[in-house]
Amino acid sequence: MEKVYVGKTASRGIAVAKIYKYEELDLSPVKCKVPEQDKEGQVSQFLNARESVKAELEKLAVTNEIFSAHLEMVMDFTLEDSVKSKINNDAENAESAVSEAISEVAAVFEMMDDEYMKERAADIQDVGKRLMAQLKGVELPDIGNLREEAIILAKDLFPSDTVKINTDYVKGIITEEGGVTSHVSIIAKNLGIPTLVGVKGILGKLNSGDIVCMDAEEGVIIISPEEAVLNEYKQKKQEYENERQRLEKLRDNPVITKDGKRISLCINVGNAEDIERALPVKMDGVGLFRSELLYMENTHFPTEEEQFQVYKRAAELCPQELTIRTLDIGGDKELPYFEFEKEDNPFLGWRAIRISLDMKDMFKEQLRAILRASAFGNVRIMFPMIISVEELREAREVVEECKKELREEGKEFCENIETGMMIETPASVLLAEEFAKEADFFSIGTNDLTQYLLAVDRGNKKIADKYSYFHPAVLGAIKHIIDAAHKENIKAGMCGEMAGDVKATEILFKYGLDEFSMSAGSMDYIREELLKLTI
Ligand code: PEP
Ligand code: MG
């Protein structure tokens, strides 16, 4: 028997089962220089491989939207241009050109500080794996073939693996790589599969068939447990499942506290698929739709029509409000197809609403798409990083301009669509009373607000101990924002990570927060906590 302690829990729970080692194929490229006369052949090899991947993905896209995104990635002309240029100009063979082109796009995501964005690289690499398998003429292993209960052990799981997970058989997941915001972690949380990620060296310790107890509450893996330990974990697992069932029973009731206050519980998402996956947790709506993902996962600025399709689908899926935040790039979030000028302080630089107001045509395409989607659900528009009332007014004027155009074109939209703002800069805290007179709602972005109020970079590990939304300055700011909102009879929500932290629930509730928006996996715990409270 051996115990392995793990730092990061991606999805809670306990599992006792045999290991199924999900081995990766070696898809590293065989590199060679090609003579002039062979270049055309290499380009054809790439195009044929892409055709086969396209056919695979088209079939898969019927069942899961993630593959539609992959399909777009594989067919994108910038990928094609990049591969062709490597073959024609650098005399690389197809395998090498594809591998490098994919790595370059993935690197843009990997370089970002934001963990969530960083992990989007997995989707690009996933597409790359398919292309490489085609070029090499090998078949990728398929997690969907598993037919007995097991804990999956893998180096990492990619989006196309995770969508094939059948919860009847997959009882736990352990990966050697990946972070708590990685794709596998998000999916596992939504499916309720206990998951531990980033477990260094674990692949070398385990083989298929080994019995393992994993406790993703405590972050422990027990390899080949003794009889008594095995029984102890079976018992723990039962207790955990009873607790889950108890929490799930609470899902059908709206959160009304003992003394009658209705609190809205919403989720944060990056695409329509996230909403679909989260439907079982019974949220009131989406408090934050990070629209930048749509821009970042693309290889061109998404057109009005492309955006409209995504927002419309999200609006139709959403039980109540869908709050779409307008483009929030800059800082650590870059676009693979747009050159940002180098800045000394990108977090204090050209980002979010500043970019939108400077690039009006692009901003209008987004706003027109959101407005058109508002005919299909309860859509709200939210502006990020506002620091002055003038900015808010200017942004709202652009909304009015778009409405006028759509009216003239006879296109449908909701005339009374709400426009609100994130409160995530110190300036917006100090001006909260002014903003509350004009905005339709507030959503507190504690991720940025904490870093700006405390002058502590949210991604800098060296000073991570100083980054705390429990700092009295942050708490004071939150209280001030909520009071300012209520004075003008508008709602104050929160979509920063603090809203999903059960340790903060009571204080936020007592400050009067109206809406908590968080990752779907936190919802059951926050709901339970809120139901215990009274004003
Ligand atoms: C925030 O700043 O709290 C927020 C929700 O936005 P993001 O994390 O996307 O910057
Ligand atoms: Mg922010």
Side-chain angles (χ1 to χ4, degrees), residues 325 328 351 422 424 448 458:
R325 177 172 73 183
D328 186 9
R351 60 171 296 203
M422 305 266 308
E424 55 182 341
D448 275 318
R458 66 195 249 191

Side-chain angles (χ1 to χ4, degrees), residues 484-504:
H486 290 172
K487 208 166 139 202
E488 297 298 332
N489 284 319
I490 64 164
K491 293 229 159 112
M494 178 180 285
C495 59
E497 289 302 306
M498 187 181 192
D501 182 347
V502 82
K503 295 192 290 303

